[in-house]
Amino acid sequence: QDISVEDEVKVDTLFNPEQDGEGLIQKSLPREWTDRIKVSGYIQARYNGLFETNPDLSVPQMDKNWGADKGISLRRVRLKVSGWLLDNVYVYMQADFAGSPTLRDAYMDLYFDHHKSTWVRVGQSKVPFGFENMQSSQFRLPLDRSDPINSALPNERDLMAVLYHTPQKVRKVYEYMKENNLKHSGNYGTFALGAFNGQGINQPDKNANLHMVARASWPFQFANNQIMELSVHGYAGQYVLPNASQDLNTEVDNGNGEMTLVSATGHNFKDARVGGTFVWYPQPIGFQAEYNYGVGPEYDPASELVKEKNLHGGYAMLYGKIHYKNHTFFPFSRYLYYHGGKKFEADARAYRVNDLEIGVEWQPNPAYEIVAMYVIADRSTADHGTREFVDQAGNLLRIQMQINF
Amino acid sequence: QDISVEDEVKVDTLFNPEQDGEGLIQKSLPREWTDRIKVSGYIQARYNGLFETNPDLSVPQMDKNWGADKGISLRRVRLKVSGWLLDNVYVYMQADFAGSPTLRDAYMDLYFDHHKSTWVRVGQSKVPFGFENMQSSQFRLPLDRSDPINSALPNERDLMAVLYHTPQKVRKVYEYMKENNLKHSGNYGTFALGAFNGQGINQPDKNANLHMVARASWPFQFANNQIMELSVHGYAGQYVLPNASQDLNTEVDNGNGEMTLVSATGHNFKDARVGGTFVWYPQPIGFQAEYNYGVGPEYDPASELVKEKNLHGGYAMLYGKIHYKNHTFFPFSRYLYYHGGKKFEADARAYRVNDLEIGVEWQPNPAYEIVAMYVIADRSTADHGTREFVDQAGNLLRIQMQINF
Amino acid sequence: QDISVEDEVKVDTLFNPEQDGEGLIQKSLPREWTDRIKVSGYIQARYNGLFETNPDLSVPQMDKNWGADKGISLRRVRLKVSGWLLDNVYVYMQADFAGSPTLRDAYMDLYFDHHKSTWVRVGQSKVPFGFENMQSSQFRLPLDRSDPINSALPNERDLMAVLYHTPQKVRKVYEYMKENNLKHSGNYGTFALGAFNGQGINQPDKNANLHMVARASWPFQFANNQIMELSVHGYAGQYVLPNASQDLNTEVDNGNGEMTLVSATGHNFKDARVGGTFVWYPQPIGFQAEYNYGVGPEYDPASELVKEKNLHGGYAMLYGKIHYKNHTFFPFSRYLYYHGGKKFEADARAYRVNDLEIGVEWQPNPAYEIVAMYVIADRSTADHGTREFVDQAGNLLRIQMQINF
């Protein structure tokens, strides 16, 4: 999302269009359709089968094509249609065509002023929680988002209405980061406050309860141009399992302080997290870390029930940015840790994850890039099928080619 | 579909391209692809959960997200690719990305003359029956089409070949209505005659029988510029139920005047309607009414069979158009009534519908609009599951934000 | 895919961008998005029900709407986004919206020199095997590809990495054929060598084995401008049946020279073919023939097993190109023959096919075309449901209208 900062614009509102009298609130759409919207996208092709030590290790949340069968795969085939329709109206639509086509984003932004600093977004879009979730996969260094952060919001998105505010001086920092290819997350508001369904994309809500979300993220730019971004964020709501075994139960307080069993299917589980992010942008050395803590449904092998349990986890990544003869290289190493359930998987499957990744992204030019990443993974999971924790550990080299259009 | 009227063009035909010798029949496509086609679309986001008095009242034909679960939803996410490839060749393609992606339109128009008055349309497109069905959801005032008219053709479209004719003087009235934002239905021919499969969009025909359709719709413009449009239309064919309970039967005459039972699945049911439309366009007060009468499959709870039964229904809408400080408002109130089956629902479910809607559409600018609509609904249905009529009545406030790009 | 030949460019490589110092390797994307990519496509609408002598004859590989139910259908609704992002980077994405939307192509081409003669393609694209499979359905004369060639690679495509080379002088012949509307197959490399998953489009690989493919195809242009193209091509790999009856077995050597039965589901079947093509381009009389021979899974009704069996088949087509008053006509007649299994159909269904087609394509202008084709078909099939060969023979007239945008 490309926003040019205009230094001197007058404050105005949707509700008093004549106030400035200077045509600052544009009333007519751009004449040519190519000035209203643009078509763009990117494609990611992968090979996950090199030097694989354990073919039984699969990581469906990260990549459905990581597992026993070695083959070439398309992880993302994205097509976007987006544009400024008016000074204060922006539209964004994105579909993914990998596997079977699905809608990712479809939202409208309505700005309340001509600084483009305050706006409301309605539709399907990313929920403002975390840094990694906000950053496009087009720009992220590791091939996939981390379990601890992404397990909060699979596909990162939901149906929502969110109020955003980004002060002008922060937008200048964002633009600096964009111009300098610093792998920023994009403008999802310095401050955000909103409501979303909570059940994920492309499906109706399952209860009469909306999730609430809030986020504050400030990039401090120092005199030497180094930038440090700090973020806190949290959400809370009630979640209905999309996929629970028929005989699977959970326990609820019957009002007398006693616990009774009810079916896990259709039950409203507490689903809440708070988190924090620290980013030091790579000029030329960068460091990025996120952590979150919360409560959510998780399969408990001891009782063979789904319970509301605490979850926690995070990641830390050291990375760099190197120029060599018109090419840009980003070496990186990420360690990630997660202890909790994945609400959107079968039976709110329990996870214990410890992964280390070492890789490099090579950008020969603005049109495409190649990532090679070696993964040392150790993952234990438990659900109502396994009844106990099953551990899979293994290493492999993963390769991705990406083209941006 | 945007057609500019050219006052002086020579009649010509596809079959004698050299006749005029003046290059009036263009033989080369426009050089730039952006001059051949344009990309456009619109998005509708809704919230159906305000002041809901009866969560058991759902209306799947109107909106699958109207019902027990309160949440934000996307009703339509439309992307269109369309354009004039030549003087006399037009292409239109539209997909919907809400929920799971589906094709809506894919057709070609071949014009037989350079007045652009007579053309044949082949492909998937709207069947010319009724006014409301023709009008795009982008422009309609009430959030959803009415049961009495839309039950004729769910999704309004089918696979078809239709001949259209619109005299030049009528196209000038259409253009006047478009320029004045009068909520016209678009140019689907002043006269139309064609054939279509009859089983709806994106699926093969189910019998060796094509439906026939005809329509005439004339807008009378008076000296004071007020416009009254009158329309008559009808279709007839044989319909196969897409979704009938396994043990559900219908009765047929065995040739001796006796009725015998046969399975409803695969049976060819009579499916025919005639209808009429009256529209007085809002300058500034408008009135719109439609009625149709016909025969079609309907579940009969008394006999527990599907039978060919009479159906009838219509709606009447009073509305206005108000300007206030660059904003346009369309207040409206619609009453709708339907008595008949819905052939495309399970067991050709029987319906008795009485709804009253009161709402307003607010257009702050050409890019987006907001509709709020209060609904007082009373709906009885019967199918092979319920075996008798079940009544659901209730009120709620529905809200929609729409962006046009 | 549109490649303009530049006669004088310097050789350069991706790895020494500064070598020529002349800016021949472009580093910045075109400024306007409409110069980077273009949107295009085509639509095919059909009617398969005229003069049908046998409603039980259906040909699902060719057209799912050829069969008992007579109706209008959409065979292809294609939307493409493609473009040169840089001098040496090309992207291509194509989706089909007929029935339910699916991805067809999503690939990136990286060229190693500025003659655009050598490139690697990664992603989902056509596997370089045969002429008919390479040629777009937008340009092919008969309505559908032939069983003998297309049974090698249903949907023609796979997930792949292929190295292509086309000498400059061959590209000039390709351009001549394009300018003269000679129904060429497009530039899929004069020489091609690559690897692909082998299980078809939009699904993960099913084994740890990649298929290998190679192709050489040279167009000889004589002094009188007549062109003859000769091609040889082959592929080999292991294939897992996507759709086998649960109780269906195959036999394997147990190592002692004895055959034992194992389940056909999940078994790796040999899948290999070699083929050849001869094309004499229509100036004004053309002739096109292909033949291929190989081994693959095929249901054997005698033993009620799936076995690795030899397969063979081909087609020969005589056609012409006629101009009449700005219209172009291509009359054609094709005979096709196939003896073998179809690995992608249920139980690797056995086929014995003898079809004769007589038709004509009429191009009134560059935007659309009409094909009428009379088919005299004789087809025997056997699978684990029928247990023996069932023969269906019949004739019908098929009609198609196509629009190109």
Side-chain angles (χ1 to χ4, degrees):
Chain A
Q1 185 174 340
D2 197 351
I3 302 179
S4 63
V5 175
E6 296 144 38
D7 282 322
E8 305 224 18
V9 285
K10 293 175 191 160
V11 177
D12 201 347
T13 78
L14 283 180
F15 305 102
N16 295 301
E18 283 87 4
Q19 189 179 296
D20 60 60
E22 303 291 323
L24 276 185
I25 288 212
Q26 174 197 356
K27 295 297 285 185
S28 306
L29 301 180
R31 223 180 107 73
E32 298 296 324
W33 73 268
T34 51
D35 295 330
R36 292 196 293 270
I37 58 172
K38 77 168 175 185
V39 178
S40 58
Y42 63 99
I43 298 172
Q44 293 178 339
R46 291 188 182 175
Y47 189 73
N48 286 312
L50 287 174
F51 313 123
E52 193 181 48
T53 63
N54 179 3
D56 293 330
L57 172 69
S58 66
V59 187
Q61 188 183 356
M62 285 188 166
D63 187 340
K64 280 177 286 184
N65 287 292
W66 171 353
D69 300 319
K70 292 178 191 67
I72 299 160
S73 57
L74 290 169
R75 177 65 180 86
R76 291 181 179 86
V77 179
R78 294 290 172 85
L79 191 65
K80 310 176 212 175
V81 176
S82 62
W84 286 95
L85 303 179
L86 294 172
D87 270 2
N88 63 344
V89 180
Y90 181 81
V91 67
Y92 187 96
M93 189 180 153
Q94 183 181 219
D96 189 272
F97 286 83
S100 60
T102 54
L103 181 71
R104 313 310 284 184
D105 299 277
Y107 62 78
M108 53 197 93
D109 284 347
L110 308 178
Y111 286 75
F112 293 112
D113 62 67
H114 280 273
H115 296 285
K116 286 176 176 160
S117 54
T118 307
W119 70 102
V120 63
R121 173 170 301 178
V122 174
Q124 185 164 293
S125 175
K126 290 188 172 182
V127 176
F129 179 85
F131 179 93
E132 188 189 67
N133 274 8
M134 299 297 97
Q135 188 184 39
S136 169
S137 295
Q138 198 171 359
F139 303 119
R140 189 184 51 254
L141 288 178
L143 292 189
D144 297 294
R145 292 187 178 84
S146 70
D147 303 60
I149 309 306
N150 197 236
S151 57
L153 298 149
N155 298 312
E156 305 87 60
R157 295 163 174 89
D158 213 314
L159 290 147
M160 66 186 221
V162 175
L163 186 69
Y164 288 105
H165 177 72
T166 301
Q168 281 203 78
K169 63 176 171 183
V170 172
R171 276 180 42 212
K172 285 183 190 173
V173 182
Y174 291 165
E175 298 216 334
Y176 170 90
M177 292 194 280
K178 187 173 174 173
E179 277 161 23
N180 289 276
N181 191 12
L182 294 186
K183 300 270 176 194
H184 181 53
S185 67
N187 181 5
Y188 282 86
T190 305
F191 305 100
L193 181 68
F196 61 102
N197 283 0
Q199 293 293 137
I201 61 171
N202 300 327
Q203 47 188 316
D205 198 6
K206 295 245 173 61
N207 55 24
N209 170 276
L210 291 178
H211 279 52
M212 301 302 297
V213 64
R215 179 176 181 252
S217 187
W218 194 278
F220 299 89
Q221 186 160 25
F222 304 113
N224 61 358
N225 277 333
Q226 292 287 349
I227 303 168
M228 176 180 73
E229 184 160 354
L230 296 178
S231 166
V232 292
H233 37 266
Y235 76 81
Q238 306 275 331
Y239 186 81
V240 176
L241 300 189
N243 185 4
S245 301
Q246 223 175 341
D247 64 336
L248 183 62
N249 289 323
T250 187
E251 54 184 15
V252 293
D253 191 316
N254 68 359
N256 304 327
E258 293 163 6
M259 303 306 278
T260 57
L261 297 185
V262 299
S263 173
T265 303
H267 183 69
N268 273 320
F269 288 94
K270 231 184 269 179
D271 174 27
R273 298 195 184 197
V274 292
T277 305
F278 173 93
V279 186
W280 185 273
Y281 286 93
Q283 305 185 93
I285 303 295
F287 181 75
Q288 183 180 322
E290 291 198 73
Y291 184 79
N292 72 166
Y293 177 87
V295 62
E298 177 179 350
Y299 183 74
D300 179 56
S303 62
E304 301 193 348
L305 299 174
V306 177
K307 291 184 173 178
E308 287 170 358
K309 300 181 81 168
N310 288 339
L311 56 86
H312 54 98
Y315 70 86
M317 181 171 74
L318 185 67
Y319 59 122
K321 184 174 166 227
I322 300 167
H323 290 281
Y324 178 74
K325 288 190 175 182
N326 282 334
H327 297 246
T328 306
F329 295 90
F330 290 90
F332 64 90
S333 180
R334 182 173 76 166
Y335 170 74
L336 63 91
Y337 163 81
Y338 182 55
H339 179 118
K342 290 200 182 175
K343 60 189 177 187
F344 46 89
E345 292 196 6
D347 306 333
R349 189 173 286 135
Y351 270 82
R352 308 290 179 262
V353 177
N354 280 282
D355 284 8
L356 178 65
E357 302 159 341
I358 301 161
V360 63
E361 177 177 307
W362 166 32
Q363 295 180 347
N365 58 51
Y368 75 97
E369 60 185 51
I370 297 173
V371 177
M373 180 171 115
Y374 191 73
V375 186
I376 301 162
D378 186 356
R379 294 172 162 259
S380 293
T381 59
D383 58 36
H384 210 43
T386 66
R387 307 258 167 166
E388 57 177 10
F389 273 99
V390 176
D391 187 61
Q392 297 290 353
N395 311 343
L396 85 164
L397 182 65
R398 306 175 64 198
I399 291 181
Q400 174 180 287
M401 293 187 64
Q402 176 179 310
I403 191 160
N404 310 310
F405 59 90
Chain B
Q1 189 176 339
D2 198 352
I3 303 181
S4 64
V5 174
E6 296 144 38
D7 281 323
E8 304 226 17
V9 284
K10 294 174 189 163
V11 176
D12 201 347
T13 78
L14 282 180
F15 306 103
N16 296 301
E18 284 87 2
Q19 190 178 298
D20 59 62
E22 302 290 322
L24 274 185
I25 287 209
Q26 175 197 356
K27 294 296 285 184
S28 306
L29 301 180
R31 223 180 106 74
E32 299 295 324
W33 74 267
T34 51
D35 295 330
R36 293 196 292 269
I37 58 172
K38 79 168 174 183
V39 178
S40 59
Y42 64 100
I43 298 172
Q44 292 179 340
R46 291 189 180 174
Y47 189 75
N48 286 313
L50 287 173
F51 314 124
E52 193 181 48
T53 64
N54 179 3
D56 293 330
L57 173 68
S58 66
V59 187
Q61 187 182 356
M62 285 187 166
D63 187 342
K64 280 176 289 184
N65 288 291
W66 172 351
D69 300 318
K70 292 177 192 68
I72 300 159
S73 58
L74 290 169
R75 178 66 179 86
R76 290 181 180 87
V77 179
R78 294 290 172 87
L79 191 66
K80 309 176 212 175
V81 177
S82 61
W84 286 96
L85 303 179
L86 294 171
D87 269 3
N88 63 343
V89 180
Y90 181 81
V91 66
Y92 186 95
M93 187 179 154
Q94 183 181 221
D96 189 272
F97 286 83
S100 61
T102 54
L103 181 71
R104 313 311 283 185
D105 298 277
Y107 62 78
M108 53 197 94
D109 284 348
L110 308 179
Y111 286 76
F112 295 111
D113 63 67
H114 280 272
H115 296 287
K116 286 178 176 156
S117 55
T118 306
W119 69 103
V120 63
R121 173 170 300 179
V122 175
Q124 185 164 293
S125 175
K126 290 187 171 182
V127 176
F129 179 86
F131 179 92
E132 188 190 66
N133 274 7
M134 299 297 98
Q135 189 183 39
S136 169
S137 294
Q138 198 172 359
F139 304 119
R140 187 183 54 253
L141 288 177
L143 293 189
D144 298 294
R145 291 187 178 86
S146 71
D147 302 60
I149 310 304
N150 197 236
S151 58
L153 298 149
N155 300 312
E156 304 89 61
R157 295 164 175 88
D158 213 314
L159 290 147
M160 65 185 222
V162 175
L163 185 70
Y164 288 106
H165 177 73
T166 301
Q168 282 202 78
K169 65 176 171 183
V170 171
R171 277 181 40 214
K172 286 185 191 173
V173 182
Y174 291 166
E175 298 216 336
Y176 171 90
M177 291 194 280
K178 188 175 173 171
E179 276 162 23
N180 289 277
N181 191 12
L182 293 185
K183 300 269 176 196
H184 181 53
S185 67
N187 180 6
Y188 283 85
T190 305
F191 304 100
L193 181 67
F196 61 102
N197 282 0
Q199 294 293 136
I201 60 171
N202 300 325
Q203 46 188 317
D205 198 6
K206 295 246 175 57
N207 54 25
N209 170 276
L210 292 178
H211 280 52
M212 300 302 298
V213 64
R215 179 176 181 252
S217 187
W218 195 279
F220 300 89
Q221 186 160 23
F222 304 113
N224 62 359
N225 278 332
Q226 291 287 350
I227 303 168
M228 176 180 73
E229 184 161 354
L230 297 177
S231 165
V232 293
H233 37 264
Y235 75 81
Q238 306 276 331
Y239 186 81
V240 177
L241 300 190
N243 185 3
S245 300
Q246 224 175 341
D247 63 334
L248 184 61
N249 289 323
T250 186
E251 55 183 15
V252 293
D253 192 316
N254 68 358
N256 305 328
E258 293 163 6
M259 302 307 277
T260 57
L261 297 186
V262 298
S263 173
T265 302
H267 183 70
N268 273 320
F269 288 94
K270 231 184 270 180
D271 174 27
R273 298 195 184 199
V274 292
T277 305
F278 173 93
V279 186
W280 185 273
Y281 286 92
Q283 308 183 92
I285 303 295
F287 181 74
Q288 183 181 322
E290 292 198 73
Y291 184 79
N292 72 167
Y293 177 87
V295 62
E298 177 180 350
Y299 183 75
D300 178 56
S303 62
E304 300 192 350
L305 300 174
V306 178
K307 292 183 173 177
E308 285 171 359
K309 299 181 80 167
N310 288 340
L311 56 86
H312 54 98
Y315 70 87
M317 180 171 76
L318 186 66
Y319 60 121
K321 184 174 165 229
I322 301 167
H323 290 282
Y324 179 73
K325 288 191 176 183
N326 282 336
H327 297 245
T328 306
F329 296 89
F330 290 90
F332 64 90
S333 180
R334 181 174 75 166
Y335 170 74
L336 63 91
Y337 164 81
Y338 182 56
H339 179 117
K342 292 200 182 175
K343 58 188 178 186
F344 47 89
E345 293 195 7
D347 307 332
R349 188 173 287 133
Y351 270 81
R352 307 289 180 265
V353 177
N354 281 282
D355 284 7
L356 179 64
E357 302 159 341
I358 301 160
V360 63
E361 175 177 308
W362 166 32
Q363 296 179 345
N365 57 51
Y368 75 97
E369 60 185 52
I370 296 173
V371 177
M373 180 170 116
Y374 191 74
V375 186
I376 301 162
D378 186 356
R379 294 171 162 261
S380 294
T381 60
D383 58 37
H384 209 44
T386 67
R387 309 259 166 164
E388 56 177 10
F389 273 99
V390 175
D391 188 61
Q392 297 291 354
N395 311 343
L396 84 164
L397 183 64
R398 306 175 64 200
I399 292 182
Q400 173 181 286
M401 292 187 66
Q402 176 179 310
I403 190 161
N404 308 311
F405 59 90
Chain C
Q1 187 173 339
D2 198 350
I3 301 180
S4 64
V5 175
E6 297 144 38
D7 281 324
E8 305 223 19
V9 284
K10 292 175 193 162
V11 177
D12 201 347
T13 77
L14 282 180
F15 305 102
N16 295 301
E18 284 86 3
Q19 190 178 298
D20 60 61
E22 303 290 323
L24 276 185
I25 287 209
Q26 173 196 354
K27 295 296 286 184
S28 306
L29 301 180
R31 223 181 106 74
E32 298 296 324
W33 75 266
T34 51
D35 295 330
R36 291 196 293 270
I37 58 172
K38 77 169 175 185
V39 178
S40 58
Y42 64 100
I43 298 171
Q44 293 179 338
R46 292 189 180 174
Y47 189 74
N48 287 313
L50 287 174
F51 313 124
E52 192 180 49
T53 63
N54 179 2
D56 293 330
L57 172 68
S58 66
V59 187
Q61 187 182 356
M62 285 188 166
D63 187 340
K64 280 177 288 185
N65 288 292
W66 172 351
D69 300 318
K70 292 179 193 65
I72 299 159
S73 58
L74 291 169
R75 177 64 179 86
R76 290 180 180 87
V77 179
R78 294 290 172 86
L79 191 65
K80 308 176 213 176
V81 176
S82 62
W84 286 95
L85 303 180
L86 294 172
D87 269 4
N88 62 344
V89 181
Y90 181 80
V91 66
Y92 186 96
M93 188 180 153
Q94 182 180 219
D96 189 273
F97 287 82
S100 61
T102 54
L103 181 71
R104 312 311 283 184
D105 298 277
Y107 62 78
M108 53 196 94
D109 284 348
L110 308 179
Y111 285 75
F112 294 112
D113 62 67
H114 279 273
H115 296 288
K116 285 175 177 160
S117 55
T118 307
W119 69 102
V120 63
R121 173 170 300 178
V122 175
Q124 185 163 293
S125 175
K126 290 187 171 182
V127 176
F129 179 86
F131 179 92
E132 187 189 69
N133 274 9
M134 300 297 97
Q135 188 183 40
S136 170
S137 295
Q138 198 171 359
F139 303 118
R140 187 183 53 256
L141 287 177
L143 292 189
D144 297 293
R145 291 188 179 84
S146 70
D147 302 61
I149 310 304
N150 198 237
S151 57
L153 298 150
N155 299 311
E156 306 86 61
R157 294 163 175 88
D158 212 313
L159 291 146
M160 66 186 220
V162 175
L163 185 70
Y164 288 106
H165 177 73
T166 301
Q168 281 203 77
K169 64 176 171 184
V170 171
R171 277 180 40 213
K172 285 184 190 173
V173 181
Y174 292 165
E175 298 215 336
Y176 171 89
M177 291 195 279
K178 187 174 174 173
E179 276 162 24
N180 288 277
N181 191 12
L182 293 186
K183 301 270 178 196
H184 181 52
S185 67
N187 181 5
Y188 282 86
T190 305
F191 305 100
L193 181 67
F196 61 102
N197 282 0
Q199 293 294 136
I201 61 171
N202 300 326
Q203 47 188 317
D205 197 5
K206 295 246 174 60
N207 54 24
N209 170 276
L210 291 178
H211 280 51
M212 300 302 297
V213 64
R215 179 177 181 251
S217 188
W218 194 277
F220 299 89
Q221 186 160 24
F222 303 112
N224 62 358
N225 277 332
Q226 292 288 351
I227 303 169
M228 175 180 74
E229 185 162 353
L230 297 178
S231 166
V232 293
H233 37 264
Y235 76 81
Q238 306 276 331
Y239 187 80
V240 176
L241 300 188
N243 185 4
S245 300
Q246 224 175 341
D247 63 335
L248 184 62
N249 289 322
T250 188
E251 54 184 15
V252 293
D253 191 316
N254 68 358
N256 304 327
E258 293 163 6
M259 303 307 277
T260 58
L261 297 186
V262 299
S263 173
T265 302
H267 183 70
N268 273 320
F269 288 94
K270 232 184 269 179
D271 175 28
R273 298 194 184 199
V274 292
T277 306
F278 172 93
V279 186
W280 185 273
Y281 286 92
Q283 307 184 90
I285 302 297
F287 180 74
Q288 182 180 322
E290 292 199 73
Y291 184 79
N292 72 166
Y293 177 87
V295 62
E298 177 179 351
Y299 183 75
D300 178 56
S303 61
E304 301 192 350
L305 299 175
V306 177
K307 292 183 174 178
E308 287 170 357
K309 301 181 81 168
N310 288 339
L311 56 86
H312 53 99
Y315 70 86
M317 181 171 76
L318 185 67
Y319 60 121
K321 184 172 167 233
I322 301 167
H323 290 281
Y324 179 74
K325 288 190 175 182
N326 282 335
H327 297 248
T328 306
F329 296 89
F330 290 90
F332 64 90
S333 180
R334 180 174 76 166
Y335 170 73
L336 64 90
Y337 164 80
Y338 182 56
H339 179 118
K342 291 200 182 175
K343 57 189 178 186
F344 47 89
E345 291 196 7
D347 307 333
R349 189 173 286 133
Y351 270 83
R352 307 288 179 264
V353 178
N354 281 282
D355 284 9
L356 177 64
E357 303 159 340
I358 301 160
V360 63
E361 176 177 307
W362 166 32
Q363 295 179 346
N365 57 51
Y368 75 97
E369 60 185 52
I370 296 173
V371 178
M373 179 170 115
Y374 191 73
V375 186
I376 301 162
D378 187 356
R379 295 172 161 259
S380 293
T381 60
D383 59 35
H384 209 44
T386 66
R387 309 258 167 166
E388 56 177 10
F389 273 97
V390 176
D391 188 61
Q392 297 290 353
N395 311 343
L396 85 164
L397 183 64
R398 307 175 63 199
I399 291 182
Q400 173 181 288
M401 291 187 66
Q402 176 178 311
I403 191 160
N404 309 311
F405 59 92

